Amino acid sequence: MEKKNIDWANLGFGYMQTDKRYVSNYKNGAWSEGALIEDDTITISECACVLQYAQTCFEGLKAYTTEDGHIVTFRPDLNAQRMEDTAKRLEMPVFPKERFLEAIVKVVEANEAYVPPYGSGATLYIRPYMFGSNAVIGVKPADEYQFRVFTTPVGPYFKGGIKPLTLRVSDYDRAAPHGTGNIKAGLNYAMSLYPIVDAHRQGFDENMYLDAATRTKVEETGGANFLFVTKDGTVVTPKSNSILPSITRRSLMYVAKEILGLKTEEREVYFEEVKDFAECGLCGTAAVISPVGKINDHGKEICFPSGMTEMGEITKKLYDTLTGIQMGRIEAPEGWIKVIK
């Protein structure tokens, strides 16, 4: 299929309407068959549950063109499982995992012309999401839902490519203990909007959130998990029941231990030890890994030895290995790559 006439190399991380999207409706206790449609608009009641009580969840993954010309996605089964976990927590009906994967394939195939070519630095972002669609005025779950998947070609998440970020320690809490921090609910991201806009106003790229209970332990940012590297080369990631279980983070920790032979630790990370780490990075679907150069703690700066000009040595190895797997340059562990075409 002929590609769309898009300046792939200069794409930002934004929405561009593509040709088709997938829609399935839940009513009377069952999901409809589902279909690909062209209309990108949604018509719902002014009293729809999603508008009144934020009953919505989403996922994010990407389709890539590999070195040998295939179009693939990366571990979509884990996205399906995470959306199931999120739906259960929000009292939403589970969209079956098999159908989730089928919907991903159908939407990517239908929008093949928007999948960026290999080597362009761009990808096709895939956004599955679900929301309560019928009118609800009392505080309760909806009775009807809509599951949708759309795609959009995107460039790098952070402008300017891979360069170390500057974070600040936030005075706001991202998620409460026993709350919804471990699921991908829309309401979590609404909570983070004011802090991230305020961080940008102050000249920072992102917020570092500490645990809400004690404010002594590192949690995550508004949209990414942390990875740290100790001075002896151990890869460390924070552990908490209010951190989103990132698919990218889990994959990177596997790469670190099983492919690169590094020591790994998933444990509570106290903020007081951050100054002793050699490297720091943010990981997630959108950016894979973005290096962190310094963290501002209310005027006091923590500067990592890896500096403000490039990735740290181990962070770069992790990035190169995982992106190599995703793009087909490095053999993937079994089950990681789903070939669409």
Side-chain angles (χ1 to χ4, degrees):
M1 179 181 289
E2 186 178 349
K3 298 294 183 184
K4 296 290 182 177
N5 185 22
I6 296 171
D7 185 4
W8 305 107
N10 292 306
L11 272 177
F13 197 89
Y15 173 74
M16 177 188 296
Q17 183 182 335
T18 55
D19 294 339
K20 298 288 182 72
R21 63 273 313 132
Y22 178 91
V23 181
S24 177
N25 291 294
Y26 182 89
K27 190 174 183 178
N28 299 323
W31 287 103
S32 67
E33 183 178 349
L36 291 170
I37 65 170
E38 294 183 0
D39 189 0
D40 68 324
T41 60
I42 298 172
T43 301
I44 52 176
S45 166
E46 64 182 350
C47 195
C49 191
V50 63
L51 301 179
Q52 306 306 318
Y53 304 120
Q55 197 183 22
T56 181
C57 63
F58 69 97
E59 276 297 322
L61 61 159
K62 292 177 177 180
Y64 314 83
T65 301
T66 59
E67 190 173 36
D68 60 4
H70 288 293
I71 295 174
V72 306
T73 58
F74 182 71
R75 309 191 78 176
D77 56 311
L78 297 186
N79 293 97
Q81 180 61 58
R82 191 167 63 182
M83 181 169 252
E84 177 179 317
D85 296 340
T86 299
K88 289 177 178 177
R89 177 64 175 82
L90 295 178
E91 280 296 330
M92 303 172 82
V94 170
F95 194 74
K97 282 182 275 192
E98 299 78 14
R99 292 192 58 190
F100 180 101
L101 296 173
E102 288 172 5
I104 298 300
V105 171
K106 287 180 179 179
V107 173
V108 174
E109 286 178 339
N111 295 293
E112 182 185 346
Y114 292 91
V115 180
Y118 175 78
S120 64
T123 55
L124 186 73
Y125 191 81
I126 307 166
R127 172 54 58 87
Y129 62 111
M130 187 196 309
F131 56 89
S133 55
N134 68 295
V136 175
I137 195 65
V139 180
K140 62 179 182 179
D143 298 311
E144 299 176 8
Y145 297 84
Q146 191 166 107
F147 171 84
R148 297 176 72 103
V149 184
F150 70 80
T151 60
T152 183
V154 298
Y157 187 71
F158 289 104
K159 293 179 181 178
I162 299 172
K163 61 180 182 180
L165 306 174
T166 300
L167 312 186
R168 72 166 181 184
V169 177
S170 180
D171 290 325
Y172 294 89
D173 295 326
R174 175 189 162 270
H178 314 296
T180 57
N182 63 331
I183 61 170
K184 208 163 176 66
L187 58 92
N188 291 344
Y189 296 82
M191 299 278 282
S192 73
L193 294 179
Y194 176 81
I196 189 59
V197 171
D198 186 58
H200 290 165
R201 279 195 291 256
Q202 303 297 325
F204 302 104
D205 296 300
E206 252 290 6
N207 290 292
M208 169 183 272
Y209 291 104
L210 304 180
D211 73 294
T214 69
R215 298 196 61 78
T216 61
K217 291 174 279 191
V218 176
E219 294 256 294
E220 59 173 284
T221 69
N225 285 181
F226 278 100
L227 278 181
F228 298 102
V229 180
T230 65
K231 290 175 181 175
D232 67 358
T234 301
V235 180
V236 179
T237 188
K239 183 177 183 179
S240 165
N241 62 8
S242 54
I243 290 176
L244 185 73
S246 163
I247 294 163
T248 304
R249 185 200 68 199
R250 281 181 277 176
S251 302
L252 286 166
M253 293 299 278
Y254 179 94
V255 165
K257 183 177 181 180
E258 304 297 337
I259 298 178
L260 299 180
L262 301 170
K263 183 181 177 183
T264 61
E265 295 176 351
E266 183 180 359
R267 60 173 175 80
E268 290 184 334
V269 175
Y270 285 86
F271 178 69
E272 65 181 16
E273 62 181 303
V274 170
K275 66 182 184 303
D276 298 321
F277 289 122
E279 301 175 32
C280 174
L282 306 182
C283 59
T285 298
V288 184
I289 306 181
S290 292
V292 175
K294 60 184 175 181
I295 298 172
N296 187 298
D297 177 20
H298 301 86
K300 181 181 178 181
E301 288 192 340
I302 298 172
C303 298
F304 295 101
S306 50
M308 289 298 296
T309 57
E310 57 187 19
M311 278 190 173
E313 180 183 358
I314 290 178
T315 304
K316 189 172 190 314
K317 285 181 181 178
L318 289 168
Y319 176 86
D320 288 345
T321 305
L322 189 62
T323 55
I325 289 170
Q326 292 172 334
M327 294 298 176
R329 297 187 298 267
I330 297 173
E331 185 177 356
E334 185 176 355
W336 279 28
I337 300 297
K338 182 174 181 60
V339 178
I340 293 178
K341 195 161 185 179

